[in-house]
Amino acid sequence: MTGSCLDKLLKSIGIFLSAVSSNRYLKEFLEVGGVLTLLEILGMEKVKEEDKKESIRLLQVIANTGRKYKELICESYGVRSIAEFLAKSKSEETQEEVQILMDSLVHGNPKYQNQVYKGLIALLPCASPKAQQLSLQTLRTAQSIIGTTHPSIVDCMLKVLRTMHLEVQYEAIELIKDLVNYDVCQALLKGLVALLIPSVKETSKLQPKILNDSSVPQFTAHLPVFLQQAAAAKAIGVLARSNTSVAEELLHLRVVHSLMAAMGNTDHSNSQRQASLTLEYLVQMFPVVEEHVRRSMGEGLYQLFLSNAEDLYMKIDSIQADILAANKVNVSKALCFSGVSPCNASFYRGAHEPEKPAYITYFQKEDTEGKE
């Protein structure tokens, strides 16, 4: 079948399925394998993008007809096909249509909403920034509907912070703000703090060997690990400003030490800037932090920090950067004496019970999802 014929056929089917009295046409279409055909079209390499988009729109019409039709799509391995298409599509307009479909499948579909949720998580490592952005947006909705988290979401979220696309980073931080209200809060905060000090193995990739020669000019490389470091510092600042309890818990995780170490990373100015802005807030909020930071920095560097935290990275010299990177600040003991205690499970607003173990990974055995 030629592309033009398929286009006309799909649009004709759409006219019938969208009609006022479309129930009979819909039933006939489904009886002859209509859903499976539409899903198969999404995976065909030779089919035009426009025809695939029309298939998505027809699936939207079917899903919006009612719960049993959403279940039929999911039972036909639809979530997997739709998610893979979202990751591979080169058209942002088409990807937005896919998001509408995924959003429809997660609403009013209790039997398979977990399947959709896991499918969205599986999309986070994909290479398409638009697919990542849309998946993160839909995940926020899915998370609020499902009410429980899957442990893999923490690792996936932390890896997404390596993106160089600010729109993806924004959506990731918005979802992280939601996730601190769930049972993964502690793991998420620990993970964010850990990202502030990249491993030696990761940072050793900074320069190719030819640039190790001191006679060759050195260039800053925007390694994903440094993008991740800057994004983590930014996310920590957002979380601390939005919830004092979270800020206190971060202090117990030695976030001050890690932020100061990031401020000494002269290989990535945005890491220095974001870490400095977050530390500035903590210094203003907690006298014990102010005391320890002042003592560690020394009066001269501390006053420079107070005068303009955002631009500090442009004013410090190599010795001051080394002081920051090698700091030994640890406010945990002082916090115990000051009455700031670490949070526990009851700290989360609206905390949820953790999900049961023996999780079925993403798309495996999708026919069993309805039993969860």
Side-chain angles (χ1 to χ4, degrees):
M1 182 182 292
T2 64
S4 59
C5 290
L6 180 59
D7 175 60
K8 292 177 181 177
L9 180 59
L10 291 172
K11 287 182 177 178
S12 298
I13 293 172
I15 292 172
F16 280 97
L17 296 187
S18 301
V20 176
S21 56
S22 61
N23 286 343
R24 180 168 64 89
Y25 301 119
L26 176 59
K27 183 178 179 181
E28 291 177 1
F29 181 66
L30 298 180
E31 285 177 349
V32 296
V35 167
L36 288 172
T37 301
L38 294 174
L39 293 172
E40 188 177 353
I41 288 172
L42 299 181
M44 292 180 173
E45 293 183 4
K46 294 183 179 180
V47 174
K48 294 180 180 179
E49 185 82 11
E50 192 63 32
D51 293 334
K52 293 182 179 181
K53 182 168 70 173
E54 194 61 39
S55 294
I56 289 292
R57 285 173 175 165
L58 290 177
L59 287 167
Q60 288 174 7
V61 173
I62 295 170
N64 291 336
T65 304
R67 172 177 167 177
K68 70 177 182 179
Y69 299 102
K70 294 177 183 180
E71 292 178 354
L72 176 61
I73 293 173
C74 295
E75 287 166 359
S76 304
Y77 300 95
V79 174
R80 179 173 187 167
S81 299
I82 294 164
E84 288 179 352
F85 176 57
L86 175 57
K88 294 177 181 178
S89 176
K90 304 300 181 184
S91 165
E92 292 192 358
E93 184 179 337
T94 301
Q95 289 175 310
E96 288 170 357
E97 292 290 342
V98 177
Q99 182 197 27
I100 294 171
L101 175 58
M102 293 291 273
D103 186 74
S104 175
L105 291 176
V106 85
H107 282 89
N109 188 16
K111 188 175 180 180
Y112 291 104
Q113 61 189 17
N114 273 318
Q115 188 184 94
V116 181
Y117 174 64
K118 295 164 194 174
L120 292 166
I121 294 175
L123 277 167
L124 296 183
C126 77
S128 167
K130 186 65 175 181
Q132 287 180 310
Q133 179 189 12
L134 296 175
S135 298
L136 288 164
Q137 289 174 351
T138 313
L139 261 174
R140 292 189 67 196
T141 301
Q143 189 63 70
S144 65
I145 292 172
I146 293 169
T148 58
T149 60
H150 184 266
S152 68
I153 197 170
V154 173
D155 187 53
C156 289
M157 291 303 302
L158 296 178
K159 288 179 179 177
V160 168
L161 293 180
R162 293 189 171 210
T163 182
M164 64 177 66
H165 300 274
L166 292 178
E167 69 277 12
V168 177
Q169 182 192 103
Y170 171 80
E171 296 297 343
I173 293 176
E174 287 299 300
L175 180 54
I176 286 172
K177 284 166 60 179
D178 293 344
L179 289 173
V180 296
N181 297 316
Y182 293 83
D183 56 305
V184 294
C185 175
Q186 185 76 359
L188 192 57
L189 297 183
K190 284 182 178 178
L192 288 170
V193 173
L195 295 181
L196 295 175
I197 304 180
S199 67
V200 175
K201 181 181 178 181
E202 291 283 359
T203 55
S204 64
K205 301 174 186 176
L206 177 58
Q207 301 287 0
K209 290 182 179 179
I210 191 171
L211 294 185
N212 289 337
D213 185 347
S214 59
S215 64
V216 179
Q218 301 295 300
F219 302 96
T220 299
H222 293 288
L223 281 181
V225 68
F226 287 160
L227 295 171
Q228 191 180 32
Q229 180 190 46
K234 182 178 180 180
I236 288 169
V238 170
L239 294 176
R241 289 179 178 87
S242 63
N243 190 318
T244 304
S245 296
V246 171
E248 292 172 355
E249 174 63 15
L250 286 164
L251 295 183
H252 284 278
L253 296 173
R254 295 198 67 192
V255 72
V256 175
H257 160 72
S258 299
L259 286 169
M260 289 180 67
M263 288 167 63
N265 178 15
T266 55
D267 287 315
H268 195 62
S269 59
N270 196 39
S271 289
Q272 293 178 289
R273 175 175 167 271
Q274 295 294 347
S276 189
L277 287 170
T278 297
L279 182 64
E280 179 186 39
Y281 174 76
L282 295 176
V283 165
Q284 293 170 348
M285 278 294 296
F286 300 97
V288 65
V289 174
E290 189 270 343
E291 178 187 344
H292 280 72
V293 170
R294 181 193 293 267
R295 187 187 309 152
S296 177
M297 285 186 177
E299 195 61 32
L301 179 55
Y302 184 71
Q303 290 303 323
L304 199 61
F305 166 69
L306 286 185
S307 65
N308 192 335
E310 185 171 8
D311 294 337
L312 180 68
Y313 71 94
M314 295 188 290
K315 300 175 182 178
I316 59 175
D317 55 34
S318 59
I319 295 176
Q320 291 170 321
D322 287 343
I323 290 173
L324 291 167
N327 84 89
K328 303 295 182 183
V329 171
N330 186 350
V331 300
S332 297
K333 292 181 181 179
L335 288 173
C336 293
F337 290 109
S338 65
V340 180
S341 58
C343 68
N344 52 38
S346 63
F347 133 76
Y348 321 122
R349 296 192 309 272
H352 300 272
E353 290 295 322
E355 198 171 1
K356 294 180 180 180
Y359 167 77
I360 300 173
T361 305
Y362 297 127
F363 300 120
Q364 291 181 335
K365 302 180 182 179
E366 288 185 339
D367 57 323
T368 67
E369 294 290 342
K371 300 178 182 179
E372 295 183 3

